Amino acid sequence: LAFGANNAKLTKLYGRDFMRGTRCWVDGVATSAEEKFASSPKLVASKHTTKAFMHGWSKSISDSEGGGSNVEEDYSGLIWVEDLNAALQAKRIARGKETSER
């Protein structure tokens, strides 16, 4: 996608690849986001929940593909997928096969 293209989506321009390529998340955006969460009077989540969210989000950016065997990696794959409904359906089918094999 070219910057300024008529149909360019911001999530494509400033998404996971952008954060990885520029290292902006690691080099300061993560810290800034954590500070905003900590100082927000409107935040209803606990500090523990917020910390877990930030950890998961950071991991989803740094994971190469996601889709691994642990829950964190599975969520990472879902966060950045282009078609969430199709990915969820594939997970349901895989889980059904796993369950029937037991």
Side-chain angles (χ1 to χ4, degrees):
L1 287 175
F3 185 77
N6 289 339
N7 296 329
K9 294 172 72 178
L10 286 177
T11 53
K12 289 285 185 189
L13 295 172
Y14 300 109
R16 185 182 200 186
D17 290 337
F18 176 83
M19 287 187 265
R20 284 179 175 169
T22 62
R23 294 189 42 85
C24 68
W25 184 257
V26 174
D27 291 344
V29 174
T31 302
S32 178
E34 287 174 12
E35 290 169 358
K36 289 283 186 188
F37 275 130
S39 66
S40 174
K42 295 181 180 182
L43 183 65
V44 294
S46 70
K47 288 182 182 181
H48 173 76
T49 301
T50 302
K51 187 173 184 170
F53 171 81
M54 292 298 295
H55 172 74
W57 184 259
S58 295
K59 183 128 175 68
S60 79
I61 292 168
S62 65
D63 281 348
S64 59
E65 293 297 324
S69 60
N70 73 33
V71 172
E72 231 171 44
E73 291 176 7
D74 286 345
Y75 287 138
S76 173
L78 288 175
I79 290 170
W80 300 102
V81 72
E82 287 189 34
D83 186 344
L84 180 60
N85 287 331
L88 289 173
Q89 183 61 25
K91 283 193 172 291
R92 284 184 203 107
I93 291 168
R95 198 172 344 170
K97 286 180 183 176
E98 253 181 51
T99 303
S100 67
E101 289 174 358
R102 292 183 196 168

